[in-house]
Amino acid sequence: MTTTVEIRLTTPARLDEALSLPADAVALGQEGCLAKLPGTDELRAAASRIRDAGRALVLVAPIGWPRTAELLLARLLAVANDGPTSVAVNDVGTALALAAARPADCALVAGLGLTRARPHSAHPDRPVAPPATLDTALLATLQPHGISAVEVDADTDLTASDPWQVRQLVDAVPVAYGRSCPTARHHRTGPPDCRPLCDTPYTIRPHQRWQLNHGHREPLPAGTPQPALTVWGNGVYQPANSAASAAYRIVDARWHTPDSLATTVRHLHGDVPVTTGR
């Protein structure tokens, strides 16, 4: 099996580092917040460098809240009109708007904000949380609009992944995104002053698990230790418990030092043994 490796960056700050590694694709952006996505000119310049380096370009479109949806669409189309682009969309509105307006060289991918469905697990007869599954009903609705690839995490059950191409996040499992950003509130600030704080994580231990695709909280399974959750910006993640198995694998640079990122990318290509050091 040939492995495709994508390095995911939230901003171009580590772009030189990413382009020095044997990754097949480089992504810019994250699922949760438009304030973190670079401005149009900066994004187009970075995208041009990625294409010129012979790497596939992926834009990660944050969830488009109503007041930012048009700005987000304009920024994505400005980059996509410059050349081949894949866009990972994380809400239905952005997916449909891009499907209607996208250039010929723009491919759409269902991002992590759309694909996960976690069964209810807080039942005394089920002390272990069942794995997340693909939201196949939603994906079937989006497929006629040109979405044929999906992003998942390593803890997702892939038995129902046909006919979609699977892109798998190696490092972590997204648990929730907050419309009211916990990082901005933690530091008592907001856009644009909160932007430099997005890549400074902090850890919380929950009493309940937030459902990624639901507007309510789910109690943790009986007898299960409380997981440590990492907050990046307005996204909350926990470490992946399973190894990646898909042919396309996404390495989120936020979880890695430069040495660990280089080792992980080369390991996924089969060049060197993996070592820890995140």
Side-chain angles (χ1 to χ4, degrees), residues 234-277:
N234 72 336
V236 184
Y237 305 82
Q238 66 186 51
N241 295 318
S242 305
S245 57
Y248 189 114
R249 301 178 185 181
I250 302 167
V251 183
D252 188 333
R254 291 178 297 180
W255 297 88
H256 295 271
T257 65
D259 286 345
S260 140
L261 180 63
T263 300
T264 299
V265 169
R266 292 184 177 120
H267 165 70
L268 292 175
H269 269 305
D271 299 332
V272 296
V274 70
T275 60
T276 58

Side-chain angles (χ1 to χ4, degrees), residues 105-248:
D105 285 338
C106 181
L108 299 184
V109 181
L112 294 165
L114 284 176
T115 57
R116 300 183 79 246
R118 173 76 68 177
H120 288 279
S121 56
H123 190 281
D125 296 333
R126 291 181 290 165
V128 178
T133 58
L134 285 170
D135 191 339
T136 53
L138 177 59
L139 293 176
T141 300
L142 293 175
Q143 193 173 22
H145 298 280
I147 292 181
S148 59
V150 298
E151 292 183 354
V152 301
D153 55 66
D155 288 0
T156 299
D157 183 354
L158 297 181
T159 55
S161 62
D162 288 336
W164 296 283
Q165 303 165 23
V166 174
R167 302 183 176 191
Q168 199 167 40
L169 184 68
V170 171
D171 306 287
V173 175
V175 178
Y177 302 110
R179 187 168 187 176
S180 177
C181 178
T183 298
R185 294 175 67 182
H186 181 73
H187 293 279
R188 299 176 182 243
T189 186
D193 297 332
C194 58
R195 186 176 177 186
L197 304 170
C198 276
D199 289 344
T200 303
Y202 61 96
T203 300
I204 60 174
R205 287 192 175 271
H207 295 287
Q208 292 174 303
R209 179 173 57 241
W210 279 260
Q211 289 288 80
L212 182 61
N213 290 336
H214 296 264
H216 63 272
R217 292 177 294 178
E218 176 189 357
L220 289 168
T224 301
Q226 296 179 9
L229 302 181
T230 300
V231 180
W232 294 94
N234 72 336
V236 184
Y237 305 82
Q238 66 186 51
N241 295 318
S242 305
S245 57
Y248 189 114

